[in-house]
Amino acid sequence: MAKQKFGGDWTEDKLNRVKEYLQAYNTALKNQRFQREYIDAFAGTGYREVKSGETDEATLFPELAEPEVRRFLDGSARIALNVEPGFHRFTFIEKNPNKVKDLVKLKDEHPDRDIQIREGDANTWVQEICRESWDYRRAVLFLDPFGMQVSWQTLEAVAGTKCIDAWILFPLCVGITRLLSKDEIPDESRCRPLDVIFGDRSWVDAFYRRPAASRCATKQRSFFDEPEDDELVHRIELSAIEDYYRERLRTIFAGVAKNSVRLKNSKNVPLYLLFFVAGNERGAPIAVKIAESIMRRE
């Protein structure tokens, strides 16, 4: 099986929180008539490989530190398959053909499960799934991109079903902050991908206080450079980006967790933000309450 290297302790943190919600979700709905589904938009191989020294196992079990020993931990797809109570149906979406082959192997390991594998663009497939009939169906969607692949249009489609809860991995320092600059509105080439992820250009007014805030500039400085004294531009903080995206989510979803999880690397730099949204108006209060409890935990 192909190796999928990514993350560190923050990856473990992310997967543990999602796993805990999946268990609570299925427990809450197990006596309902709904078909429960899990959708993984960036399913990968189903496994993730732990880097050497990432856990204490190498110390406790020296044989695991040998170079020829491959150590894998469950990725999101396999975690969902092992959750109890279980889901009735699984949909794994992956663009990489080699990883799709591994997902097919994962499906073959579970012949008794209803597993659908969709090869191609995550946005295209998620939007198509959302256009299906959702009578007597409920789902949890995991949007776990490596970068800025999830479009606002896709989130609107998800919210429109009113039947899907979602965990959204938001690319902070691996995407957004590389396009923003603290002292000047980005040029047009950097505005466009930000428009896609935020849904429109209202982020300009949220982050910058220039008279011509609706226009993109041609001047470009680094996100981390200090602004000049005579420039009337907001100093963009990570919390401002976090709050703005949460408020954007509240415009389309029935429920949005008031807190998010900052997933940091070994240097304590937040790489991603983990958000939770609930699609069904009736179920949103309890879903958000459960998610917020999970997200508050250290």
Side-chain angles (χ1 to χ4, degrees), residues 5-251:
K5 296 183 179 180
F6 56 92
D9 291 340
W10 66 269
T11 304
E12 190 78 9
D13 183 25
K14 171 194 66 178
L15 292 176
N16 284 338
R17 292 176 195 268
V18 172
K19 177 182 178 181
E20 189 171 350
Y21 181 79
L22 297 182
Q23 292 171 330
Y25 178 89
N26 281 332
T27 298
L29 294 183
K30 67 179 181 179
N31 294 322
Q32 302 295 320
R33 58 180 178 175
F34 302 116
Q35 174 173 278
R36 302 186 305 275
E37 303 181 27
Y38 174 78
I39 305 169
D40 198 324
F42 300 89
T45 63
Y47 283 104
R48 74 177 186 89
E49 184 185 17
V50 179
K51 297 176 182 178
S52 178
E54 183 176 315
T55 71
D56 291 332
E57 290 180 354
T59 301
L60 296 173
F61 305 99
E63 65 274 13
L64 295 180
E66 297 177 6
E68 65 271 18
V69 176
R70 294 182 178 181
R71 296 194 295 119
F72 291 96
L73 288 185
D74 291 344
S76 53
R78 189 172 290 271
I79 283 175
L81 284 166
N82 291 330
V83 163
E84 292 293 342
F87 289 93
H88 298 113
R89 188 181 190 187
F90 304 83
T91 300
F92 300 140
I93 303 170
E94 177 55 52
K95 190 173 184 178
N96 186 307
N98 291 326
K99 293 179 181 179
V100 169
K101 293 178 182 178
D102 287 327
L103 289 171
V104 172
K105 294 178 184 178
L106 181 63
K107 177 180 179 178
D108 292 341
E109 293 176 20
H110 299 83
D112 59 330
R113 302 293 186 90
D114 183 357
I115 300 174
Q116 307 294 317
I117 299 174
R118 301 288 182 258
E119 181 176 353
D121 176 71
N123 289 292
T124 301
W125 274 114
V126 170
Q127 291 177 37
E128 181 167 325
I129 291 169
C130 289
R131 286 192 291 268
E132 298 172 358
S133 172
W134 279 87
D135 293 339
Y136 307 110
R137 295 169 65 189
R138 293 291 185 270
V140 178
L141 167 66
F142 190 30
L143 289 168
D144 184 25
F146 290 107
M148 297 175 59
Q149 291 93 345
V150 178
S151 72
W152 187 257
Q153 185 178 7
T154 293
L155 294 182
E156 288 180 320
V158 173
T161 68
K162 300 186 183 301
C163 295
I164 301 175
D165 294 350
W167 288 89
I168 305 168
L169 197 67
F170 182 77
L172 194 58
C173 284
V174 295
I176 301 300
T177 59
R178 293 182 179 180
L179 296 176
L180 294 171
S181 55
K182 288 191 175 184
D183 60 345
E184 185 57 86
I185 302 170
D187 60 31
E188 183 63 29
S189 66
R190 294 195 176 197
C191 282
R192 285 192 295 270
L194 290 166
D195 294 346
V196 171
I197 200 168
F198 286 129
D200 57 30
R201 200 156 286 188
S202 61
W203 58 268
V204 176
D205 292 326
F207 301 149
Y208 301 91
R209 51 182 173 87
R210 296 183 65 83
S214 62
R215 300 197 305 270
C216 281
T218 57
K219 183 180 179 181
Q220 182 67 41
R221 292 194 182 93
S222 166
F223 181 85
F224 297 100
D225 287 344
E226 293 295 329
E228 296 179 6
D229 293 338
D230 60 347
E231 291 183 314
L232 299 177
V233 180
H234 274 306
R235 185 175 178 83
I236 304 171
E237 303 293 341
L238 298 183
S239 59
I241 300 172
E242 185 175 9
D243 292 343
Y244 171 73
Y245 193 65
R246 184 183 296 108
E247 290 306 311
R248 289 290 293 149
L249 292 172
R250 285 175 176 159
T251 66

